Amino acid sequence: MFPVLGGTARRRSRASVLLCLLLLCVPLAGCGAGDVAGSVAPSASASGSADPVARDVRRAVADWSAAPPAALAAIPLEGWSYEVSAVRVDGVRAFARAQLRYRLTGYDAAPAGSAREVELTRAGGSWAVTADRPAPGALPQLWDQGPVSVERGEHALVLGGSGQSSGSLSAIAAEADKAVPAASAAWPRPWAGRVVVLVPASLDAMAALLGRPADEYRGLGAVTTGRTGAGPAPADRVVVNPEGYGQLSAEGRQVILTHENTHVATRAATTSRTPLWLSEGFADWAAYRESDRTPAEVAPALARAVRRGDLPGELPTAAAFAFGGDAEALARAYEGSWLACRLIARRWGEAALLSLYESSGRDSLPAALADTLGTDAAGLTRAWREDLAREFR
């Protein structure tokens, strides 16, 4: 699942920062068609299709939006269109609420969307577009923040915000090109095998894209946007925090991108039924699958807790992943989830772990555990607690 991050990030130890970098994911919000129609009431005099003024405004928007702007020529866009839902006329000015639809060629299985407000001015009897911006309350696109640079990898398309250098974007593309096969190796199920990475100009620009306060992402390396569940995914994006990402080692960056790519790969199998400990633990398991780091190195917060006698009594609950609370507790939730998936892969086999992931998205967890592992929640929890005690004694 892609949990919503909430609250204000507290100051963390370096170890906790690295853990939290292992990756919180956020849902795409504010871009549904309903956002356009519901955000403004059409004027009584200019909303109907029979109204000649509204009809002229709609026609002007259609003509203007027949192709992407020249400034976006480097971005591989297709299916570019604006669907006007409401028109408001104020003298020689008009404001059209519209839904922008587009795809990134070769990456988007279904159109991405953006609620827009198009401003027009009438001169000489005709309407001309003078501004195009996010509709009130809607999230901006990367290009709303300034010029966008493009770097292509074998498996990745990297879009950089204003001021991002070609060198830094090329490096991220190369790192993503390693992360995609790593995610595919951990999740050998059909998925696109490609990723779009957005690198905004700054932490503040990242927060604006996601519609959340900047403090929620301070210290994090990246997040993922997207919808869970079966069906075409119109907007799977990995969004990099240029400040947090730049502070990581090469290994840390690879872990982050593999984790995030695993969320993209497993998106269709992830539903509201999927426990957070399983979705986040699986992504970490994929990220560390080929690593030779020990559990104590990967899970320092949990190791400290167990060694002082604080052995967790249950697998991490959804509440344990709430961002903005106790950083050590959040770290333990992620670390414990990783160790649970690691245990399943080692005791029952990697195939069983994958089957559990798929089954838990369709059925109840008790049914999924019984069908795939032949155990119940109590049995898995007991085995997990015994494994923690053994690893961190």
Side-chain angles (χ1 to χ4, degrees):
M1 190 167 68
F2 299 85
V4 177
L5 304 184
T8 301
R10 296 180 180 175
R11 189 176 300 277
R12 306 174 179 85
S13 67
R14 186 171 186 275
S16 295
V17 168
L18 289 177
L19 189 282
C20 291
L21 283 163
L22 298 184
L23 287 130
L24 304 173
C25 305
V26 295
L28 190 67
C31 65
D35 296 328
V36 179
S39 58
V40 64
S43 66
S45 63
S47 60
S49 59
D51 185 280
V53 177
R55 187 172 57 247
D56 289 346
V57 169
R58 290 171 183 269
R59 184 180 297 115
V61 173
D63 292 343
W64 164 81
S65 63
L72 306 184
I75 304 175
L77 296 166
E78 62 177 315
W80 183 272
S81 66
Y82 280 64
E83 181 179 351
V84 176
S85 60
V87 173
R88 177 171 61 87
V89 177
D90 182 9
V92 297
R93 294 198 303 165
F95 303 86
R97 291 294 174 87
Q99 185 75 0
L100 167 63
R101 301 286 186 186
Y102 68 90
R103 298 189 193 201
L104 293 177
T105 307
Y107 292 88
D108 289 338
S114 176
R116 312 294 293 181
E117 181 177 71
V118 181
E119 183 175 347
L120 304 91
T121 301
R122 183 168 55 194
S126 61
W127 291 97
V129 172
T130 54
D132 171 34
R133 51 185 169 260
L139 301 182
Q141 297 290 303
L142 185 64
W143 53 78
D144 289 320
Q145 299 178 336
V148 175
S149 301
V150 180
E151 290 291 336
R152 294 174 181 267
E154 183 179 355
H155 305 291
L157 176 69
V158 180
L159 305 181
S162 178
Q164 290 292 345
S165 70
S166 175
S168 65
L169 298 181
S170 294
I172 291 174
E175 290 158 350
D177 276 347
K178 296 178 182 178
V180 169
S184 294
W187 183 255
R189 301 288 193 264
W191 72 289
R194 299 181 300 274
V195 66
V196 177
V197 182
L198 307 184
V199 189
S202 65
L203 170 61
D204 287 339
M206 174 195 185
L209 287 178
L210 299 172
R212 309 292 294 182
D215 279 348
E216 293 191 9
Y217 305 113
R218 200 175 305 281
L220 300 182
V223 298
T224 300
T225 68
R227 296 179 190 149
T228 57
D236 282 328
R237 305 284 189 261
V238 174
V239 185
V240 168
N241 170 10
E243 296 178 14
Y245 193 84
Q247 296 173 4
L248 292 173
S249 66
E251 180 186 14
R253 293 193 298 271
Q254 205 61 60
V255 166
I256 278 188
L257 288 181
T258 302
H259 179 117
E260 297 295 0
N261 274 277
T262 301
H263 278 309
V264 175
T266 59
R267 181 204 61 80
T270 309
T271 72
S272 59
R273 290 179 176 269
T274 310
L276 274 179
W277 70 259
L278 183 55
S279 61
E280 295 300 337
F282 186 88
D284 273 356
W285 173 76
Y288 284 109
R289 185 167 169 265
E290 298 298 327
S291 174
D292 58 2
R293 298 185 69 191
T294 68
E297 292 173 326
V298 176
L302 189 54
R304 287 191 295 271
V306 173
R307 286 167 180 165
R308 65 173 178 260
D310 187 12
L311 183 68
E314 61 180 352
L315 288 163
T317 64
F321 293 92
F323 192 67
D326 186 324
E328 282 281 303
L330 181 62
R332 292 194 300 271
Y334 274 84
E335 293 169 355
S337 299
W338 167 66
L339 285 163
C341 290
R342 177 177 179 267
L343 169 65
I344 293 168
R346 290 189 167 199
R347 178 171 295 190
W348 286 275
E350 293 189 3
L353 176 59
L354 268 67
S355 294
L356 174 63
Y357 197 105
E358 292 174 311
S359 182
S360 69
R362 300 187 303 265
D363 306 316
S364 67
L365 183 60
L369 288 170
D371 290 344
T372 60
L373 306 186
T375 189
D376 57 15
L380 176 59
T381 301
R382 184 168 52 251
W384 173 69
R385 295 180 78 242
E386 291 170 353
D387 189 56
L388 295 182
R390 183 170 51 253
E391 289 287 359
F392 301 135
R393 62 177 179 267

